């Protein structure tokens, strides 16, 4: 629930289980640090931002919005047609597996 509540699903794939689990571990570590050592919870927010980004759109995301959908689909078909690129971009890039 931590990742879902934090809106940490990946932009392109919508996959949220991996980010939810990773952010839950980070949250648990932050709570333990608070409980055991009296550390503030601000470190959790910093770790989330470093790991998953600020949530603001970057240049690439803004530029993609300007491209025609037909062009984006053609590029996606080409990239996903190559097994090596498919693994790198989809599994490792979008889903963080690998």
């Amino acid at each position: 629930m931590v990742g879902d509540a934090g809106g940490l699903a990946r932009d392109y794939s919508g996959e949220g289980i991996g980010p939810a689990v990773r952010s839950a571990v980070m949250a648990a570590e932050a709570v333990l640090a608070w409980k055991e050592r009296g550390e503030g919870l601000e470190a959790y927010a910093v770790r989330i931002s470093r790991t998953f980004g600020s949530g603001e759109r970057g240049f690439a995301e803004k530029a993609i919005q300007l491209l025609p959908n037909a062009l984006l689909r053609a590029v996606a078909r080409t990239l996903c047609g190559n097994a090596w690129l498919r693994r790198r971009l989809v599994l490792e890039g979008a889903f963080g597996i690998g």
Side-chain angles (χ1 to χ4, degrees):
M1 282 182 26
V2 175
D4 290 341
L8 300 176
R10 296 181 179 273
D11 292 342
Y12 298 110
S13 67
E15 192 272 329
I17 295 171
V21 171
R22 284 190 292 281
S23 67
V25 169
M26 289 180 198
E29 291 169 350
V31 169
L32 285 174
W34 168 74
K35 184 178 177 185
E36 294 172 356
R37 298 184 296 276
E39 292 179 15
L41 298 176
E42 299 82 17
Y44 171 71
V46 171
R47 284 188 69 192
I48 289 293
S49 182
R50 283 188 190 145
T51 303
F52 299 103
S54 65
E56 297 177 12
R57 285 184 167 180
F59 172 77
E61 292 175 89
K62 291 176 184 175
I64 287 173
Q65 296 296 317
L66 300 174
L67 298 174
N69 283 335
L71 176 61
L72 294 174
R73 281 193 300 274
V75 169
R77 252 189 319 281
T78 301
L79 294 175
C80 290
N82 179 297
W84 183 84
L85 285 173
R86 185 173 50 243
R87 176 161 182 79
R88 297 284 302 161
L89 295 174
V90 177
L91 293 178
E92 294 174 15
F95 290 105
I97 300 171

